[in-house]
Amino acid sequence: MGREFDPLFDEWAATYDDAVAGHDIEYKEVFLHYDDILNEIANRAIDNVLEFGVGTGNLTKKLLNKGLDVIGIEPSKEMRTLAKQKINQLEIYDGDFLLFPTNIKPIQTIVSSYAFHHLTDAEKNKAISIYTEMLPKDGKIVFADTMFASEHEITIILEETKKRGYNRLLADLQTEYYSTIPFLKQNFEKHGFAVQFHRMNKFVWILEAEKNNEHRKHF
């Protein structure tokens, strides 16, 4: 359920903000337009928001600045500590995409940035089914994450990453659970969502899914 990555994020917490700012050359393209990506999520969110993978609170701040109520879920103890230091009033809980407190206020939007790939494809499907039950009609899911247009694109990017000698990024791409857009589209639609995708950089796309709306063409 993604909790196997907790030690990694406890270790990464202290330097995470430097990485997203582009100071880590191997991950510079992954975090290209990072601020725009977070703004895009915040602009699409509505009403009460449940955020998975709060990290150090960068997206949370933008959601709060928009006047939205936010409940945060974060599995990493170190990340939770840093997020609370940034945002004193933040309501944040230990949990993950599948196991989290359910005795919370009604939620209209579920958001996440750079985190959904910590679930296997089977776990992603299970998570979507949980969110279907949580959200009202016209409720939304807005995720920004690394995802790929096709299996062929995965092969090309792995080859490029290897040639550039980006061994840490290569290991990440090979060991975490990055999905293709066709897989995600099929599974969100199966659970009653209309879903669209918008590319933000070479790696990251915005996925926006609306419950019980007519399907709209993506791309």
Side-chain angles (χ1 to χ4, degrees):
M1 290 178 288
R3 299 303 296 251
E4 65 267 32
F5 300 108
D6 286 7
L8 169 66
F9 280 93
D10 283 341
E11 182 180 342
W12 197 14
T15 58
Y16 182 79
D17 284 346
D18 285 337
V20 301
H23 298 162
D24 186 330
I25 188 64
E26 289 198 26
Y27 286 83
K28 189 168 185 176
E29 285 185 304
V30 177
F31 292 112
L32 188 65
H33 309 310
Y34 179 71
D35 202 55
D36 292 339
I37 290 167
L38 300 191
N39 283 330
E40 193 69 29
I41 300 171
N43 289 337
R44 294 170 186 246
I46 57 172
D47 301 321
N48 294 336
V49 178
L50 180 64
E51 181 186 358
F52 287 107
V54 166
T56 61
N58 296 326
L59 173 58
T60 318
K61 287 178 66 176
K62 292 183 179 295
L63 294 164
L64 292 171
N65 288 341
K66 193 184 172 188
L68 301 169
D69 290 327
V70 182
I71 297 173
I73 308 294
E74 171 55 54
S76 163
K77 180 180 178 181
E78 296 301 322
M79 290 287 195
R80 289 197 304 274
T81 298
L82 290 174
K84 284 293 287 184
Q85 289 173 358
K86 278 187 184 179
I87 311 166
N88 224 13
Q89 77 276 25
L90 177 60
E91 190 176 352
I92 186 169
Y93 300 95
D94 182 9
D96 57 55
F97 282 99
L98 294 175
L99 297 175
F100 55 93
T102 55
N103 57 336
I104 55 178
K105 67 186 75 173
I107 296 297
Q108 282 73 45
T109 309
I110 297 171
V111 303
S112 162
S113 59
Y114 293 87
F116 200 46
H117 63 270
H118 296 143
L119 299 184
T120 65
D121 282 351
E123 289 168 343
K124 289 186 183 82
N125 184 52
K126 182 178 180 181
I128 297 166
S129 70
I130 293 171
Y131 309 153
T132 303
E133 297 302 317
M134 288 182 62
L135 290 170
K137 186 179 185 298
D138 298 328
K140 301 174 75 172
I141 296 172
V142 186
F143 289 166
D145 202 5
T146 292
M147 55 189 78
F148 298 99
S150 66
E151 294 289 344
H152 180 62
E153 184 181 60
I154 295 175
T155 300
I156 291 172
I157 288 180
L158 287 176
E159 290 175 353
E160 289 177 351
T161 304
K162 185 176 181 179
K163 286 179 181 178
R164 297 170 91 175
Y166 291 172
N167 295 326
R168 287 181 295 117
L169 177 57
L170 181 63
D172 180 351
L173 294 172
Q174 290 176 323
T175 57
E176 299 195 27
Y177 311 119
Y178 299 100
S179 297
T180 65
I181 286 174
F183 168 84
L184 293 167
K185 182 176 186 294
Q186 178 184 23
N187 280 272
F188 273 93
E189 289 180 348
K190 179 176 69 176
H191 290 291
F193 290 93
V195 60
Q196 57 180 336
F197 299 85
H198 177 69
R199 191 162 213 160
M200 299 299 293
N201 64 35
K202 178 179 176 180
F203 292 91
V204 176
W205 297 69
I206 297 282
L207 177 161
E208 181 178 10
E210 297 183 16
K211 183 178 174 182
N212 292 334
N213 283 2
E214 291 184 5
H215 291 198
R216 292 174 295 178
K217 185 177 180 180
H218 65 288
F219 301 114

